[in-house]
Amino acid sequence: MITLTEKAINAVAVLLPVRKTPTAGLRIEVTDGGCSGYQYGLKLEGSHTPEDTIIDCGEVKVFIDPNSLPMLDGMSVDFLDTLDGSGFKFTNPNAAKVALAVLRLIPAAKAPELKPVLNYVGWVRR
């Protein structure tokens, strides 16, 4: 289950009425960021797909595709507005599991520069 704080819900809800196209909810997904690994994606959507998991957060409905759901389960999303800037903050207890799953896909021979670091944290593919 993904949770949005009240600040996150309010930040999204402010955008809904000012959009020119109808919005059904907020899509949160995990995308492949290439060299930088996985990234979180947020976008307002006009509709959901039949495969999506839909989470009702009051004024905001959250859509999650089946591939992203296992990596996002248990995550919370907050909205921060500080002097340094504003934006969404993701707290994901699965982040280490996601990193581990990605690292297991990388053969140690193809990433020799990572091997000392991965050995240290016990993440080398065996």
Side-chain angles (χ1 to χ4, degrees):
M1 178 72 148
I2 294 175
T3 57
L4 273 67
T5 65
E6 190 172 328
K7 288 180 184 178
I9 292 169
N10 290 339
V12 175
V14 166
L15 300 173
L16 298 178
V18 296
R19 254 190 94 176
K20 292 182 181 180
T21 57
T23 302
L26 176 72
R27 177 166 303 281
I28 302 176
E29 61 188 351
V30 176
T31 59
D32 184 4
C35 294
S36 60
Y38 285 105
Q39 298 177 356
Y40 298 115
L42 291 174
K43 59 184 170 182
L44 295 173
E45 294 272 50
S47 63
H48 61 85
T49 67
E51 298 85 25
D52 285 339
T53 296
I54 302 169
I55 300 170
D56 190 350
C57 296
E59 294 180 60
V60 177
K61 292 198 181 343
V62 177
F63 308 139
I64 304 162
D65 67 86
N67 293 329
S68 298
L69 186 61
M71 293 183 271
L72 299 176
D73 190 33
M75 182 177 79
S76 66
V77 181
D78 194 7
F79 185 79
L80 304 177
D81 192 10
T82 67
L83 293 175
D84 294 329
S86 60
F88 291 93
K89 177 186 175 190
F90 300 89
T91 304
N92 189 347
N94 296 312
K97 293 177 191 173
V98 172
L100 180 57
V102 171
L103 291 171
R104 284 190 175 150
L105 297 174
I106 302 171
K110 290 191 177 182
E113 67 280 359
L114 293 177
K115 194 168 183 178
V117 174
L118 300 180
N119 273 332
Y120 178 74
V121 294
W123 285 0
V124 170
R125 181 180 174 184
R126 300 195 194 289

